[in-house]
Structures are given as C-alpha cells and as structure tokens.
Amino acid sequence: MASTLLAWINRRFPFTSFVRNELTDYPVPRNLSFWWNFGFLAGFVLLLQIVSGVFLAMHYKPDVNLAFDSVQHIMREVEYGWLIRYLHSTGASAFFAVIYLHMIRTLYYGSYRAPRELMWWSGQVLLLLIMATAFMGYLLPWGQMSYWGAQVITSLFGATPMIGEELVLWLRGDYAVGDATLNRFFALHYLVPFVLCVMVLIHLVALHHVKSSNPSGIDLAAKDNIPFHPYFTIKDLFGMVVFAVMFFAVVFFAPETFIEEANNVPADPLQTPPHIVPEWYFLPFYAILRAIPDTLGGAAAMTVSVLIFAAMPLLDRSSLPGGARYRPVYRAMFYLFVMDVLVLGYLGTQAPEAWVVVVGRVATIIYFSIFLLLPWVSKIEERWLRRRGLPTALQATMASERRQKASGV
Amino acid sequence: MRSLRVLSGVLLATTMMPVVMAAVLADVEIPSDEASLQRGAQLATSVCLGCHGFKYLRFGNLQALGFSDEQFDSLRAGQDLDAALDSYTPADVARDLYGVVPPDLSLMAKAREGGPHHVYTLLTSYYTDESGVTDNHLLPGVRMPDVLGYSSAATPGERTELERQALDVVAFLSWAADPKVEQRERLGYFVLGYLVLFAALLYVLKRRIWARLG
C-alpha cells in the first residue's frame, strides 16, 4: 500500500530521489566542528520567530493608542501570552547571536571564498533583511525606546543628498514617527520574514550545490565525506537542544535582559529619553555612526560597515586553503577585528563624551583598515608563507587529499 | 602616550561604573514573601492609588496574593473584580495640583534603571533642610510629596519602620510589573529539566551513531 502510494508520488514528484540526494546520501565533510551548527540553528530561530510572531499578531493592535496596552494585554491576560512574547523578544536577540557566530565561523575559516561567494552574498542579503525586520519589530511595542530609536534612525535617511527630506517622509508616512509609521512597520515586519524564507531557500540550494566547507579549508575526497542523515541530523538536533537550554534559561529566568527599561514607558513624542541606545546587536554599527562628526558621513560609514562584509571574497587575495587556521597574519587580523567590534559595541552603550568619541574614531579606523588592507596583507602573507614553507600538517592534508581524489576514493 | 591615557580612562570608567551606581541607589534585598506583598498591596491601594493608577491591574488580580476574604473585601472597598486599579484623582485634577500627571505604576518596577531599587531609594531619600523645604536626594525637585513622611521621621526606629513600608510597597510594585513570575519560573524548571535530560539522551545517541564510522 505505502509503496504503491510512494510509486504514485514518485512518478509525479521526485520525492524519493530528493530525500536521497539532499538527506540520506547528501555528502558532508566528517570533520565539521560545532562551529558548523549555527546555520541550522538560525533556521530553527527563524521558524520560532515566525510561529511566535503569528500568535502575537493575533492579539497585537498596531495603533498608537492601543499598541502599548495590547502588549500588556498579551503579557497579563492572554493564556501563556507572556511566554509567546518573551519567546519572540528573546528570539530576536538569539537570532542575531546565532547569525553573528555563523558569520564569525565563515570569516575565521575563510568559507566565503570560491566557490562559496554566492552563499556569502545571499547570507549578506539575509543579514540585511534580518536587521530591517528587527528594526521594524522594535517599534511595535510603542515604548519610549521604540519611538525614539525609530525617530533617530529614520531621520538618518534625511542625510541622503537631494531626496533626503522626501525619503524620510516616505519612510514614516508622516512628518514624525506616528500611527502611519506604526502601521507600515507592522505590515512589513509581518511580510519580510517570508521574503527571508525564500532567501534561505536560495542559500540552501547554493549550499547543496557547493557543499559544506570544513575546518581544513580543502575540498575533501569522497572517503572523508559522510551522509547527512543520520550523522548530521543527530548532531544538529543535539546542538539545537543545547542551544534551547540556554535560550529557555533566558526566556524563563531573565526575560527582561533584552528589554530596555525605557521601553516599559509608553512612547511620548514630547519627552526625549536622556540617552537613546539601540539594541545590543546594532551597537557596533551605531558606534561607527557616532564616530563620524558629519551626519551624512556617519550614515554612509554605518551603511558601508554592514555592507563591506560582501567584499570579503574580493578582498582576500590569498590562495592558501582555509582561513585563519594556517594563516597567522590573517588570524591576528581576525582576532583584532572581533575585539574591535566588541569595543565598538561597548562604546555604543555610552553617552558620547569626549573619550567615547576619540576611542570610537580609533576603533572605526581599525574596523575599516582591517578590510581595506586585506588585499595587500593577504598577498604578502601568502608570499611569506610559501617562502618559509607551508605548515607540514597542511602540506600533508593537501597531498593526501590530492592523491585520494586522483585515485577516486 | 595620549592613546595610553585614553585607554586607561576607558578601563577606569568601566571599573568605576558599578561603584557609582551602587552609591546612588540603595542596595536592599527586595522581598517577595506573601506577607510583604500583602502589606505592600494595602499601602499601594491606600496611599499610592490616591495619585497614581495601576491601569494594567484589576482588583481581581490581587486575590493571587493570598488575602483572607475579609482582608480582600476591605482592600477592594466595593470595587468590581474586573475594575482596573485607577487612581482616585482624575488625571486633569492631578495635573492642576502637581503640574504633571503622576505616572502609571503597573510597570514602574521595570521602567527605571535599577527598577525596584530606584523606587525604594526615591521613597527613602526625602529630607527637610534648615529652611524647612522638603526635597529628594535621588530626584531633586521631584513633584511627588513625601508620601511616607520619611523626611519628618524623628527617630531611627521610625525611619526603620518607614524603610520597611517602602520595601513592602516596592515588593508589591515588582509583583505588579511581573505578576506571572511564579508561573513562569515553575514552568521554567520543568522545561529546563526536560531539555537537559533530552540533551543528555541525544548526546549518547550521537556518540552511538558516530561510533559506526569507526
């Protein structure tokens, strides 16, 4: 019976072959570390956000007079509404945490390099979509920080030459952030995640075409690849539950960690909060914005600081396999970059006093220098490494993989 | 040299910050026992409700604090169970009296940096100077009168009693801002326990499956 049904389906839809090609026979390098878990986790968090978001939307009211109250209605009167809301608010932070770790993995191991440029670029689009979704979602509770954050960020578009003023008006739908803004942000906040899903699909199609990178940075011979199922289904599932332990610890025991106090005060267009801070995941970019004295320059630098990741496959000129693992100079730059981003993030939380501005400028210069010097540094580093002789471990792996591929195992 | 000075400035600022914060806000333990919450609810409804509302609370919600029937009836003063805890003073009257509408207190324990400690410090920072003017150390010029009478407390004993009252009120405010905390944490232990067990099982299973690779 079941096999007849399956045969019926398979004549019309490639079910069995799909499962075989993409799951039970899909080859994955066996040496992947836990750093390769974050892509799957990002997919899990996306699903969580969509499901919790749909349930929130059933009770939320996108109206400046009702929005704040409707969130409290969810928190207090809807059955398990507090759980749905805390899942969603914590999920936003978890999403960025997972995505940033995923990016850090890619940068460290050089997984953005050929033939995975399109994965990296579709990932960059995903990052932008997630940022837009998070920014619009943050307006919806209509607290003080929601309101003033949106007010500040939308006003940045006013620095656009020629069309600045019209652009701001077009984004807000009104002269100031108001009911029109809230309604359109809600509509788009609901829509963009589905666009995101399409982009994820593209990301996955590319992945299944080029296959996963691995810590050695070398495309491994067939014998070093194992089927996705069951080896990576169980590994990803285990990783997901470990992640869930940490995630739910926040949801149940510290859910207000990622909610600013000022956002528990309803939006008041007449009262600017003493100190407007974005969510933690925007802080480094916000610090870059503030480091530049001119609004247009600041907004441009902030935009470029997010987009510049896309240039990595072009900037990294080294032809050595792997990323930081076998490249001491690149590795040093990588750690400097991570530290620099942390410093920028810290500066983003501080009021813009003199020293914050000075350190912010230094950190901003370091941020961009790391990217812009990479073409030369990677070339010089490679020449130096080749002259000195590649690490024996790397040479051995390269040689044995080449031999195995030649003999077809 | 200059950058070194900046760097030491950064380090100094980061290490100093918590110290400064702690010096401003009183470092007290906020109680959450039933007796404190009940006393706090009584003070809040008899004192704070005179000027402030708790618009996200209904009288019926207060039953969760374990009052006896008589206690609850006197607290409720004939109000409907579904009625919100609105202030006795209408907003426009309050604005005429104080020049500002006193903020809603339902979320106050989560709406200021330091949360309940901010409110506790506010209530116990009133003082009267030689010229007889009462003000507040935490928020100088605040338009809320010294409702607990802290500035006129004559003896250390009186002051201790008022500090206890402030603690009770703040305990109630914390509950009001997060009335589901008990349900949430109870469910949390269950969920986390389940997940930890599940993770352990999956780990064993993963080891077994990967062992096939030899």
Side-chain angles (χ1 to χ4, degrees), chain A residues 110 112-114 117 311-323 327 330 333 370-386:
Chain A
Y112 49 79
R113 301 194 320 179
E117 297 95 324
M312 277 306 284
L314 310 172
L315 297 175
D316 185 357
R317 311 290 298 246
S318 170
S319 64
L320 291 176
R327 297 165 56 190
Y330 181 83
M333 282 171 91
I370 289 173
F371 285 102
L372 298 179
L373 292 177
L374 190 57
W376 291 277
V377 174
S378 56
K379 270 277 169 216
I380 294 167
E381 180 192 36
E382 174 167 10
R383 222 174 303 138
W384 168 62
L385 282 177
R386 290 216 185 265

Side-chain angles (χ1 to χ4, degrees), chain A residues 93-134:
Chain A
S93 280
F95 210 157
F96 280 94
V98 167
I99 287 292
Y100 287 159
L101 291 170
H102 192 55
M103 288 172 69
I104 280 185
R105 188 290 313 274
T106 311
L107 289 171
Y108 184 88
Y109 288 103
S111 316
Y112 49 79
R113 301 194 320 179
R116 297 188 177 81
E117 297 95 324
L118 284 181
M119 293 219 60
W120 184 239
W121 290 333
S122 56
Q124 172 88 59
V125 175
L126 283 169
L127 176 67
L128 293 177
L129 290 175
I130 292 166
M131 286 180 154
T133 310

Side-chain angles (χ1 to χ4, degrees), chain A residues 69 76 231 252 256 264, chain B residues 14 56 110 176 180 184 210:
Chain A
D69 290 349
R76 291 161 191 266
Y231 298 105
F252 285 108
E256 298 272 334
N264 285 321
Chain B
T14 45
Y56 299 123
K110 293 198 296 200
K180 303 286 193 211
R184 191 178 77 224
W210 279 66

Side-chain angles (χ1 to χ4, degrees), chain B residues 38-112:
Chain B
Q38 290 182 358
R39 287 194 303 265
Q42 271 152 350
L43 276 165
T45 48
S46 59
V47 181
C48 314
L49 210 55
C51 301
H52 296 272
F54 289 78
K55 68 170 173 175
Y56 299 123
L57 284 186
R58 299 169 195 279
F59 278 93
N61 295 143
L62 301 179
Q63 281 173 310
L65 297 179
F67 288 109
S68 70
D69 286 349
E70 300 104 74
Q71 279 175 319
F72 185 67
D73 284 341
S74 81
L75 190 78
R76 190 177 143 196
Q79 297 273 2
D80 211 71
L81 284 184
D82 264 344
L85 271 72
D86 287 323
S87 173
Y88 298 130
T89 313
D92 44 339
V93 177
R95 195 193 308 275
D96 286 346
L97 281 173
Y98 307 105
V100 56
V101 181
D104 189 83
L105 293 183
S106 321
L107 282 169
M108 187 50 78
K110 293 198 296 200
R112 294 287 184 278

Side-chain angles (χ1 to χ4, degrees), chain A residues 132-294:
Chain A
T133 310
F135 169 64
M136 291 186 292
Y138 197 57
L139 183 69
L140 306 185
W142 203 246
Q144 273 287 67
M145 218 42 105
S146 301
Y147 179 86
W148 289 97
Q151 190 78 6
V152 169
I153 300 298
T154 50
S155 70
L156 287 178
F157 288 87
T160 318
M162 322 265 276
I163 55 163
E165 225 165 288
E166 285 77 26
L167 188 59
V168 176
L169 193 62
W170 181 74
L171 282 172
R172 292 179 182 161
D174 201 342
Y175 291 100
V177 170
D179 205 54
T181 326
L182 183 58
N183 271 290
R184 62 187 51 196
F185 275 31
F186 181 52
L188 294 173
H189 182 72
Y190 206 116
L191 169 70
V192 177
F194 297 99
V195 180
L196 233 140
C197 288
V198 176
M199 214 53 219
V200 168
L201 212 65
I202 294 175
H203 198 65
L204 285 178
V205 171
L207 172 68
H208 279 231
H209 185 60
V210 297
K211 311 287 189 287
S212 287
S213 64
N214 71 79
S216 80
I218 302 167
D219 275 330
L220 299 179
K223 84 158 192 14
D224 291 323
N225 286 287
I226 50 179
F228 186 86
H229 182 77
Y231 298 105
F232 287 93
T233 28
I234 184 67
K235 191 171 174 183
D236 279 338
L237 200 62
F238 173 62
M240 187 178 96
V241 176
V242 171
F243 164 81
V245 170
M246 295 186 265
F247 178 73
F248 282 105
V250 177
V251 167
F252 285 108
F253 295 100
E256 298 272 334
T257 312
F258 299 113
I259 298 177
E260 274 289 321
E261 283 90 357
N263 230 26
N264 285 321
V265 179
D268 182 353
L270 299 177
Q271 198 179 27
T272 321
H275 163 193
I276 301 174
V277 219
E279 292 292 81
W280 69 267
Y281 38 81
F282 290 137
L283 287 172
F285 310 110
Y286 183 65
I288 290 177
L289 167 76
R290 292 198 310 184
I292 298 194
D294 167 69

